[in-house]
Amino acid sequence: MGVEAAVIGGGQMLGGYLQGKSAERAARTQADAQLKAAQLAAEEARFRPVGITTRFGQSNFQTGPDGRVSGAGYTLDPALRAYQDRFMGLAGGGLSQAEMAQQQFAPLQQGAQGLFGLGQQYLAESPEQAAQKYMLSQLNLVAPSRERQLAGLRTNLFNTGRTGLSVGATGARPDGGAGLGASSPELEAYYNAVAQEDARIAAGATQGGMDQARFGAGLLSTGGNLLDQGYRGQTAALGPYEAYLAQMKQLEALGQQPLELGINIGAKGQSTAGANALLQGGMAAAGSNFAANAYNPFATALTQASQNPAFQQGLSNAFGPKTYTNPFAYQAPSFFNGAQSPEVGF
């Protein structure tokens, strides 16, 4: 069995080797095909901008030796550039004006601070304290006239001999308070008038206390309005500068239109779907050809032949052990004890 086993094993090894080499070449071919498909897909998906020229400017795209975009820009129309330069000069003046606004509106801020301090002084007293202060001031105001009126009334009573006459006394109040004291009719009328005036002054004092609180709050509100006007004035001072800057931006946007149009047209020409289809188709084709490229009929024939029982039997017959018959051998007769004698060769 040594020779036929070696032949069979060698056939299988040779078939496997040849099949492995075919698979290696097929894998290399498939990898090359996939790489080529990927390169074609990348080329199909490459961004290709288009140069555009309009009334307001011109786009500028720079590409490298490999065809890829390496830079992009635009050139503004000379007339628009001249307009921009003029607006730039105006913007500088507007910015200088805005820088002076803080100093210009400083009096409003100072006035607001003064009103804040004055309003706090008025609000430092409660309405009750303000009412009491008001009433004292009013009583001090009418006290001299009352004193002169009372002195004249007493002099008249003395001159007419009615100084000691007193009438009009009343009893205690239901709540226990003292009633009216006895007095002459003239004095009674005087004190009634004083009481009525005191009641009017007290009512005015209450109103005065509330008015003082409202006045203090009004001062704070007025100060806040002044401060707000100052801030709004400083903000409004930036208006000319912002207007000039907006005009420059608008002119710049007009000049950028060719660049944007070129980018948009290039993006529309960039076929991502086509690149994906090309890539997928190339990958599928490379995969489908792998089996055909990997097939080696000679290796398959060797492997199948070495595994074929008929082939193995033929090898065994050709190279296996042989049994030779000696034509000169003597066959003993069978009558010796019924047993067959062994062959005897010469």
Side-chain angles (χ1 to χ4, degrees):
M1 292 295 291
V3 176
E4 62 269 25
V7 173
I8 293 173
Q12 292 180 350
M13 290 179 61
L14 180 59
Y17 172 76
L18 294 176
Q19 185 62 52
K21 297 298 290 185
S22 297
E24 179 182 357
R25 288 193 299 269
R28 187 180 299 110
T29 302
Q30 182 185 22
D32 293 341
Q34 291 177 347
L35 178 60
K36 184 63 175 178
Q39 291 174 346
L40 292 176
E43 182 66 23
E44 180 68 19
R46 178 178 295 181
F47 173 66
R48 298 180 178 88
V50 179
I52 299 294
T53 300
T54 66
R55 173 63 181 84
F56 306 108
Q58 179 179 4
S59 62
N60 301 318
F61 293 98
Q62 296 83 37
T63 56
D66 56 354
R68 299 179 182 275
V69 177
S70 59
Y74 63 95
T75 302
L76 192 64
D77 182 79
L80 268 65
R81 183 58 182 268
Y83 296 156
Q84 268 194 338
D85 293 339
R86 293 171 62 181
F87 277 119
M88 184 69 73
L90 293 174
L95 187 59
S96 298
Q97 179 180 349
E99 291 174 345
M100 294 186 297
Q102 185 175 6
Q103 181 180 359
Q104 293 173 346
F105 288 96
L108 289 179
Q109 296 181 356
Q110 296 173 359
Q113 295 298 330
L115 289 175
F116 288 155
L118 186 60
Q120 290 174 354
Q121 291 179 8
Y122 275 95
L123 293 177
E125 295 178 341
S126 65
E128 292 79 8
Q129 292 174 339
Q132 184 179 6
K133 182 178 178 180
Y134 175 86
M135 188 168 183
L136 289 176
S137 63
Q138 293 296 318
L139 291 177
N140 289 332
L141 183 64
V142 300
S145 60
R146 287 183 177 181
E147 292 176 358
R148 288 193 296 269
Q149 186 179 4
L150 180 59
L153 181 60
R154 287 177 176 175
T155 299
N156 185 37
L157 291 175
F158 177 79
N159 291 335
T160 57
R162 293 181 292 117
T163 302
L165 180 60
S166 298
V167 296
T170 60
R173 302 297 185 188
D175 59 357
L180 297 177
S183 177
S184 64
E186 291 83 351
L187 290 176
E188 183 179 8
Y190 168 77
Y191 285 117
N192 285 337
V194 169
Q196 292 177 359
E197 189 175 17
D198 288 345
R200 179 182 60 80
I201 293 175
T206 302
Q207 184 65 36
M210 293 186 294
D211 290 343
Q212 178 172 322
R214 281 193 292 267
F215 182 71
L219 291 176
L220 293 179
S221 177
T222 303
N225 292 335
L226 289 179
L227 194 61
D228 181 67
Q229 290 178 9
Y231 290 148
R232 285 190 287 110
Q234 295 181 44
T235 303
L238 285 171
Y241 168 75
E242 293 176 346
Y244 301 143
L245 187 61
Q247 292 299 322
M248 287 189 291
K249 291 180 179 179
Q250 185 175 357
L251 293 176
E252 195 73 13
L254 293 176
Q256 290 176 354
Q257 286 182 356
L259 179 63
E260 295 175 355
L261 289 174
I263 293 175
N264 293 334
I265 294 176
K268 291 180 180 179
Q270 183 181 12
S271 177
T272 304
N276 292 335
L278 181 61
L279 178 61
Q280 293 176 2
M283 294 295 181
S288 63
N289 291 330
F290 176 79
N293 294 331
Y295 176 70
N296 191 324
F298 184 66
T300 302
L302 283 176
T303 303
Q304 291 178 354
S306 61
Q307 296 174 352
N308 192 338
F311 178 74
Q312 294 177 359
Q313 184 61 41
L315 290 176
S316 178
N317 294 334
F319 300 101
K322 303 296 182 180
T323 302
Y324 297 95
T325 302
N326 192 344
F328 301 101
Y330 170 76
Q331 184 74 27
S334 60
F335 54 81
F336 293 101
N337 295 326
Q340 187 175 1
S341 62
E343 294 184 351
V344 179
F346 295 94

